[in-house]
Amino acid sequence: MKMVGGKKNYVTSVLIILLVITVIALLDYARTADSASRLAEDKKWLEEKVASLEKEVENRLRIADDLKNENDTLAGNLSTLEDEMAAAQSAVSYQDFLDAMEVVEAYKAAGNIEEVMELIMHQNFIGYGTFDGAGNCPCTITFKYRTHDWNPGVVLDLSEFNVEKRKIVLTYLTVDDLENNYQFVMSKGGGFYDMTEKWRIEEIRLKGKEGKAL
């Protein structure tokens, strides 16, 4: 009887030990599973955070690039403006305006195309032509960039002026029969016969009487 009781106690002890081991194993598994879940969540959070930071860096780089391009454009515009102002201030004086206007007044008073030729800068002048075999005007003056009709007595008074770098642009009104006013682009250079450098007509542009340049 004592042996039976001892054996029973031994079996009970073994069962208790096995139960404790099982409980410990289950608790350890639960802790491991919980840790793995937390690690997975942490990994996902870190991945999202890295992606967010990468996007932010990309946006900042794009903004920095846009700002650099804008700054370069502004610097270029400022440099161009400074050059134009310096050229206008250093190259054109009040006397220059008077001399340029005097050339246009001579153009207005010219009675034939030969007189006009002396007023045009040789560099951009190609030639002139007439509409009839006798050489009578109206005539055409061919510049480097355009052909201009010439007829005496169509140019009236000065309406506005401005400076384009080293050039003076004088806008004159014309008679009602013409659809456009004339813009005389004046530069210093030699003429067709006289190569002395002085103010001459480099080009004649047309400007719509409603203010729209053609």
Side-chain angles (χ1 to χ4, degrees):
M1 292 296 293
K2 288 183 180 181
M3 290 295 297
V4 172
K7 185 177 181 180
K8 182 179 180 181
N9 290 337
Y10 173 77
V11 171
T12 300
S13 298
V14 170
L15 290 174
I16 291 173
I17 291 172
L18 290 174
L19 179 61
V20 170
I21 291 172
T22 302
V23 170
I24 292 174
L26 289 173
L27 290 175
D28 185 62
Y29 174 79
R31 284 196 299 270
T32 301
D34 185 60
S35 297
S37 177
R38 286 199 302 269
L39 286 174
E41 291 177 358
D42 291 345
K43 180 183 178 183
K44 182 179 179 181
W45 180 85
L46 288 173
E47 289 175 347
E48 292 175 351
K49 189 66 175 178
V50 169
S52 176
L53 290 174
E54 288 177 346
K55 186 175 181 179
E56 183 177 354
V57 169
E58 182 181 348
N59 290 336
R60 289 181 180 274
L61 289 174
R62 184 170 59 252
I63 292 173
D65 188 55
D66 291 342
L67 289 174
K68 182 179 182 302
N69 292 335
E70 183 177 353
N71 184 66
D72 291 343
T73 300
L74 290 174
N77 292 341
L78 178 60
S79 177
T80 300
L81 181 60
E82 289 175 345
D83 291 343
E84 291 179 353
M85 291 180 63
Q89 293 173 356
S90 63
V92 178
S93 65
Y94 178 68
Q95 186 60 48
D96 289 323
F97 274 103
L98 295 180
D99 293 343
M101 290 172 60
E102 184 177 343
V103 174
V104 179
E105 291 301 319
Y107 175 94
K108 291 168 58 177
N112 56 65
I113 192 65
E114 287 78 11
E115 294 178 11
V116 173
M117 288 173 57
E118 279 299 302
L119 306 173
I120 296 175
M121 194 169 73
H122 176 68
Q123 180 179 350
N124 286 336
F125 178 61
I126 295 177
Y128 73 94
T130 59
F131 289 103
D132 62 15
N136 298 317
C137 286
C139 305
T140 58
I141 305 172
T142 302
F143 294 95
K144 185 177 180 179
Y145 301 106
R146 71 181 73 229
T147 296
H148 175 74
D149 292 340
W150 180 82
N151 206 8
V154 299
V155 182
L156 302 178
D157 299 324
L158 177 68
S159 64
E160 61 180 282
F161 62 88
N162 63 291
V163 177
E164 295 180 359
K165 293 187 177 181
R166 299 182 181 275
K167 303 176 183 179
I168 297 175
V169 181
L170 304 172
T171 302
Y172 278 77
L173 302 175
T174 60
V175 295
D176 292 339
D177 292 342
L178 296 183
E179 296 181 355
N180 307 294
N181 293 322
Y182 288 174
Q183 282 190 324
F184 293 87
V185 181
M186 312 299 295
S187 296
K188 279 188 175 181
F192 191 77
Y193 297 116
D194 178 12
M195 294 304 295
T196 303
E197 184 176 281
K198 60 182 180 180
W199 287 101
R200 301 179 191 272
I201 301 170
E202 177 183 320
E203 180 187 359
I204 300 176
R205 302 171 183 166
L206 299 181
K207 182 176 182 180
K209 291 187 176 181
E210 295 299 323
K212 182 178 180 181
L214 302 180

